[in-house]
Amino acid sequence: MPVNLRGRSLDSLLNFTTDEVNYLINLSLDLKKSKYQGLQPAFRPLVGKNIAILFQKDSTRTRCSFEVAASDLGAGVTYLGPSGSNFGKKESIEDTAKVLGRFYDGIEFRGFAQSDVDALVKYSGVPVWNGLTDAEHPTQIIADYMTMKEKLGDLKGKKVVFVGDYKNNMGYSVMIGAAFTGMNVVLCGPKKYKDQMDKKVIDKCQKLFKENGGSLEFSDDKIKAAKNADVIYTDVWVSLGEPFELFDQRIGELKDFQVDMKMMKAAKESVIFMHCLPAFHDDHTSFSKEVAQTLGKKYPIVKNGEIEVTDEVFQSLYNKAFDQAENRMHSIKAIILATIGY
Ligand code: CP
Ligand code: NVA
């Protein structure tokens, strides 16, 4: 069946079919190749289109990816940040959606509740792209599985371990990506996190694993989980929108789940390390410096500002996080083109 995504929103990846997800991954790889071949300037298929990008939380990669991708394709972009518009404060999401839908051909939204994405879809009448909510980060996942495909080739039957705060948006998203690509995923972290997960999402993924191959497992032992892994993936332990004070509790819960060389060496020799970024791997950020100063004595693993991953792993050749970051732009270009292209 040919894939046609025109007019569609990327609200949740789970609203897509396996063919549609693979189509986006392959289109991302094609667009990356054409940019590398210097063909991009001749390819501006979205001249005359405009997109709005709405951020209730800060961003580097997602914002820049939408801006550069839209510019490459010839489309105009308006950025609305966490402050500086009436969105969600003086004006409801419904009313904002109705206004923006009259100006723009597509809307990116980064925020908290998935229901806000649903409201934008319902009331704007144009494709909406989820640029991260508390539930999911679907544009990140297209880039991540594109990166895995570049590095590992065929993904079916390969093993990805997500270690750390797996009950958060990236844990779900990595699991969803594995279910679409037929990979074996291990969610590794404290046992109690499993009970905090949304059973409906797990059930949907289990159905996809039945169709596509692959499997889901949980582990609370990072060394056992790493055995035979092709990918070790982690994310911050305290996410955007969560208070700084949570670091104490989370480091207490996750101190046995820091990605270190011991974990990497327990995996396949060819294993790669992935991280959606931003990462706390040294004390060169104000947050990680403060964590080191205030919690380093209590939790020696964070005394140098290394939190979810050690600097040794981050600076090593295992680390593919910057390829992932670049691929955000190519994959977001694919998502925009596929959904609002002529
Ligand atoms: N990975 C990611 O979404 O990065 P930003 O928060 O910088 O957009
Ligand atoms: N879990 C992180 C992902 C950042 C890309 C957050 O929500 O902040």
Side-chain angles (χ1 to χ4, degrees):
M1 279 273 284
V3 170
N4 182 351
L5 295 176
R6 274 187 202 88
R8 291 275 297 280
S9 288
L10 180 52
D11 38 7
S12 162
L13 215 54
L14 288 168
N15 291 336
F16 279 56
T17 64
T18 298
D19 281 351
E20 289 167 348
V21 170
N22 283 310
Y23 170 80
L24 286 177
I25 293 171
N26 291 331
L27 182 60
S28 308
L29 289 163
D30 288 347
L31 291 172
K32 180 172 183 176
K33 201 181 289 166
S34 72
K35 181 142 177 155
Y36 275 44
Q37 286 169 338
L39 299 173
Q40 182 64 64
F43 180 66
R44 292 169 67 78
L46 297 190
V47 171
K49 301 250 182 193
N50 288 287
I51 68 166
I53 56 174
L54 267 64
F55 287 83
Q56 286 183 330
K57 296 173 177 171
D58 292 332
S59 167
T60 299
R61 276 145 290 273
T62 310
R63 174 185 177 174
C64 297
S65 294
F66 270 97
E67 295 210 9
V68 173
S71 158
D72 275 3
L73 293 169
V77 189
T78 303
Y79 167 76
L80 296 173
S83 64
S85 84
N86 293 318
F87 180 68
K89 296 182 294 257
K90 277 164 65 187
E91 191 158 30
S92 67
I93 302 225
E94 291 89 322
D95 291 356
T96 308
K98 285 176 188 168
V99 172
L100 296 181
R102 289 172 181 237
F103 283 64
Y104 295 97
D105 300 285
I107 301 169
E108 180 274 354
F109 171 72
R110 166 172 289 195
F112 296 82
Q114 188 69 22
S115 56
D116 287 347
V117 179
D118 300 339
L120 279 167
V121 172
K122 184 167 172 195
Y123 294 105
S124 71
V126 296
V128 174
W129 309 294
N130 174 354
L132 181 143
T133 60
D134 292 340
E136 236 184 276
H137 198 0
T139 65
Q140 177 78 49
I141 282 308
I142 299 299
D144 291 348
Y145 283 79
M146 166 196 182
T147 309
M148 290 186 210
K149 198 165 175 180
E150 277 181 330
K151 307 290 171 199
L152 308 173
D154 185 20
L155 296 181
K156 271 202 189 301
K158 299 258 163 59
K159 177 174 174 180
V160 53
V161 180
F162 183 93
V163 57
D165 187 16
Y166 68 72
K167 59 176 171 37
N168 212 294
N169 46 17
M170 282 312 305
Y172 281 102
S173 299
V174 169
M175 170 178 72
I176 292 167
F180 277 117
T181 51
M183 288 180 75
N184 301 309
V185 63
V186 181
L187 299 182
C188 180
K191 250 193 193 118
K192 67 174 184 184
Y193 282 9
K194 186 178 171 188
D195 302 326
Q196 295 170 32
M197 289 193 77
D198 184 337
K199 300 265 175 312
K200 278 196 208 120
V201 177
I202 294 184
D203 288 349
K204 283 184 188 166
C205 288
Q206 292 291 19
K207 198 167 162 265
L208 286 166
F209 283 120
K210 275 209 184 96
E211 288 164 17
N212 296 329
S215 62
L216 167 66
E217 266 180 66
F218 291 86
S219 169
D220 61 357
D221 181 327
K222 71 176 183 185
I223 301 300
K224 278 192 193 147
K227 194 170 184 299
N228 215 24
D230 297 281
V231 181
I232 293 180
Y233 196 124
T234 194
D235 181 21
V236 288
W237 291 353
V238 174
S239 282
L240 284 166
E242 293 188 317
F244 185 86
E245 292 66 44
L246 255 188
F247 270 111
D248 193 347
Q249 180 194 324
R250 287 280 164 75
I251 296 167
E253 291 171 353
L254 290 165
K255 60 184 180 322
D256 295 332
F257 301 98
Q258 185 184 57
V259 179
D260 55 11
M261 274 299 177
K262 213 168 145 212
M263 183 176 186
M264 298 307 296
K265 298 277 183 216
K268 269 189 190 163
E269 213 179 315
S270 55
V271 67
I272 58 172
F273 169 76
M274 295 181 73
H275 193 309
C276 52
L277 302 179
F280 293 125
H281 57 92
D282 59 22
D283 62 0
H284 299 178
T285 75
S286 59
F287 273 40
S288 56
K289 191 179 244 161
E290 195 173 335
V291 166
Q293 280 165 0
T294 56
L295 297 168
K297 268 216 175 85
K298 187 168 176 187
Y299 306 112
I301 60 150
V302 301
K303 69 178 189 306
N304 299 322
E306 300 163 310
I307 306 181
E308 70 275 9
V309 56
T310 63
D311 200 44
E312 191 182 11
V313 170
F314 197 83
Q315 303 300 351
S316 74
L317 291 174
Y318 291 123
N319 185 9
K320 304 301 174 206
F322 295 102
D323 294 319
Q324 275 175 274
E326 177 190 332
N327 286 342
R328 295 297 309 285
M329 194 277 288
H330 303 296
S331 55
I332 281 172
K333 191 185 284 177
I335 292 161
I336 297 175
L337 182 62
T339 52
I340 68 165
Y342 290 99

